[in-house]
Amino acid sequence: VPKTDAAATREVYAALFESKRCELTYRPVGRPAWTRLLNPLGLVFRGATGYLVASYADGDGTLRTLHLARMVA
């Protein structure tokens, strides 16, 4: 089971519950980390692995699926 950053998880849940944007740092495998303002839409779980479905606040509305264990607040 991938471990998640507790602060990032709290921020994601709060943003979803309050229908607000959140700013998180994402660490993709094999690429540099980036920080972005996100429009969170929901969570999807496959077994014990969680993913945030979101769009970039400065983007074109394309939906992204971001692995929760790769996020830090």
Side-chain angles (χ1 to χ4, degrees):
V1 176
K3 293 190 179 194
T4 59
D5 178 73
T9 301
R10 280 192 302 273
E11 190 163 340
V12 166
Y13 275 85
L16 285 165
F17 183 75
E18 298 168 10
S19 297
K20 294 184 177 179
R21 292 176 171 172
C22 59
E23 185 174 66
L24 295 167
T25 299
Y26 190 74
R27 301 173 301 186
V29 175
R31 290 183 286 172
W34 49 260
T35 301
R36 269 211 151 115
L37 187 60
L38 302 171
N39 299 314
L41 301 171
L43 294 172
V44 176
F45 288 88
R46 183 171 183 201
T49 304
Y51 300 88
L52 173 65
V53 178
S55 63
Y56 300 147
D58 62 351
D60 62 2
T62 301
L63 296 182
R64 310 289 176 171
T65 306
L66 305 168
H67 196 290
L68 286 177
R70 295 187 186 132
M71 294 181 186
V72 293

